[in-house]
Amino acid sequence: MDTKSAQETARVLIEALPYIQRFSGTTVVIKYGGNAMENDELKNSFARDVVMMKQVGINPVIVHGGGPQIGDLLARLGKESKFVQGMRVTDQETMDVVQMVLGGLVNKDIVNLIQHNGGQAVGLTGKDGRLIRASKMLLKNLDADNPELNTSEIIDIGHVGEVRSIDTKVLDLLGGSDFIPVIAPIGVDDQGVSYNINADLVAGKVAEVLRAEKLILLTNVAGLKDKEGQVLTGLTAERVNALIKDGTIHGGMLPKIRCALEAVENGVRTSHIIDGRVAHAVLLEILTDKGVGTLISKD
């Protein structure tokens, strides 16, 4: 390494130092999905990010998705994927596949990836330690004239759930250890029925109950953009609500932003919508001055 390269390395480390000092001992909940989960280079950069976070005293908690992988296996089994209002219609057969893919294949691949990159991880579903208590999600029929939908006011889409409560006992145990929790978003109700839950929602609720310093949602976009296409950051809850009202935030970004907003309104210090297509996006957002996405805080 020449002198110029060495000096640049030293500059990066010095820039990171105050952030390491500030966030050491805190919890950061990360929703992991999208392109960051499908590209080998990005997968390894993500794993190294969370290993380094743990090494410098930050406690990462990972909640992962796996929609494309579920769809792939259903297709191989000859079963069509159906969606209503963006939610996968989940009958018992589909739920069996969801549990195999999320709780098995995807979860253990992430655990293995972290361990391959020098860390220690434990894979969990919401069934472990009664981590996620769920209830059935019932959707309001927004299109009663659509013949493909039940024309009643409420639509039952099967084993799709909402978070009713989070029991942090198992996470508290892991938080004081060297292990990084990796959570598949599967919950269970009081009768033992399993439910597939949106990973963003689970990550938000986990961040709330852990009083996390940060909730980080990895996406396939650069962040929240204004109407001119510029990435917005340093937003307050009041500003985000105004952007929702004037239509700047709409479509597929709306549920993610509402999840981030609800987290900061319920005790999480900051929420971040960041670009998972950028290598080392998590460390760049946490440990550098500029970051790589949109930061939202309560005030």
Side-chain angles (χ1 to χ4, degrees):
M1 183 183 292
D2 59 33
T3 301
K4 187 174 181 180
S5 296
Q7 288 175 334
E8 177 60 19
T9 300
R11 185 197 66 75
V12 170
L13 292 171
I14 290 168
E15 182 180 331
L17 180 59
Y19 296 103
I20 292 171
Q21 292 171 325
R22 178 178 173 185
F23 299 132
S24 182
T26 67
T27 296
V28 175
V29 177
I30 306 165
K31 187 272 179 160
Y32 177 50
N35 283 60
M37 222 168 139
E38 298 167 14
N39 173 293
D40 285 342
E41 180 184 350
L42 293 175
K43 283 161 65 174
N44 281 292
S45 80
F46 172 80
R48 288 192 288 271
D49 284 2
V50 296
V51 170
M52 182 173 176
M53 288 168 66
K54 192 70 174 177
Q55 192 67 39
V56 299
I58 301 169
N59 295 314
V61 176
I62 300 165
V63 178
H64 66 83
Q69 294 89 335
I70 293 168
D72 287 346
L73 182 52
L74 286 171
R76 293 206 301 271
L77 294 172
K79 190 171 180 66
E80 182 184 358
S81 292
K82 296 181 180 180
F83 294 86
V84 174
Q85 296 175 27
M87 299 290 182
R88 185 186 300 277
V89 177
T90 307
D91 59 15
Q92 185 57 59
E93 186 179 22
T94 302
M95 190 65 215
D96 291 342
V97 171
V98 167
Q99 292 192 86
M100 285 189 289
V101 173
L102 291 185
L105 179 65
V106 174
N107 188 270
K108 301 315 173 191
D109 278 352
I110 298 169
V111 167
N112 186 55
L113 189 68
I114 291 169
Q115 294 178 165
H116 179 71
N117 281 277
Q120 298 187 78
V122 173
L124 304 165
T125 74
K127 293 182 173 184
D128 296 303
R130 298 188 175 185
L131 175 59
I132 304 172
R133 283 293 182 179
S135 57
K136 178 189 281 284
M137 176 183 286
L138 295 172
L139 300 179
K140 291 183 179 178
N141 190 354
L142 302 179
D143 187 7
D145 295 326
N146 188 334
E148 295 182 3
L149 301 180
N150 185 333
T151 55
S152 67
E153 219 174 286
I154 300 298
I155 306 169
D156 184 343
I157 53 174
H159 292 262
V160 177
E162 299 178 293
V163 177
R164 201 178 78 204
S165 64
I166 303 285
D167 188 328
T168 64
K169 289 189 188 73
V170 67
L171 298 179
D172 292 339
L173 285 171
L174 292 171
S177 72
D178 293 330
F179 289 95
I180 297 167
V182 179
I183 303 169
I186 298 168
V188 64
D189 69 12
D190 292 337
Q191 286 71 48
V193 178
S194 300
Y195 291 95
N196 180 23
I197 308 175
N198 178 276
D200 287 343
L201 297 180
V202 171
K205 293 301 181 185
V206 168
E208 288 175 26
V209 299
L210 291 178
R211 310 296 287 183
E213 176 72 25
K214 296 178 181 292
L215 167 65
I216 296 178
L217 304 175
L218 287 168
T219 69
N220 292 338
V221 295
L224 175 60
K225 296 180 180 180
D226 63 19
K227 291 180 179 178
E228 284 70 48
Q230 300 299 311
V231 175
L232 299 169
T233 192
L235 300 177
T236 64
E238 182 180 7
R239 176 68 173 138
V240 172
N241 280 316
L243 291 168
I244 292 172
K245 189 174 181 180
D246 73 13
T248 300
I249 303 172
H250 63 279
M253 182 59 77
L254 197 52
K256 201 172 291 288
I257 290 293
R258 282 186 170 143
C259 173
L261 186 59
E262 188 172 336
V264 299
E265 289 175 337
N266 287 289
V268 178
R269 189 174 295 274
T270 56
S271 291
H272 305 249
I273 312 290
I274 71 170
D275 193 345
R277 301 167 301 177
V278 175
H280 300 293
V282 175
L283 284 187
L284 289 170
E285 181 66 13
I286 296 175
L287 301 182
T288 67
D289 294 335
K290 290 185 178 179
V292 290
T294 298
L295 180 150
I296 300 169
S297 60
K298 186 174 181 180
D299 302 311

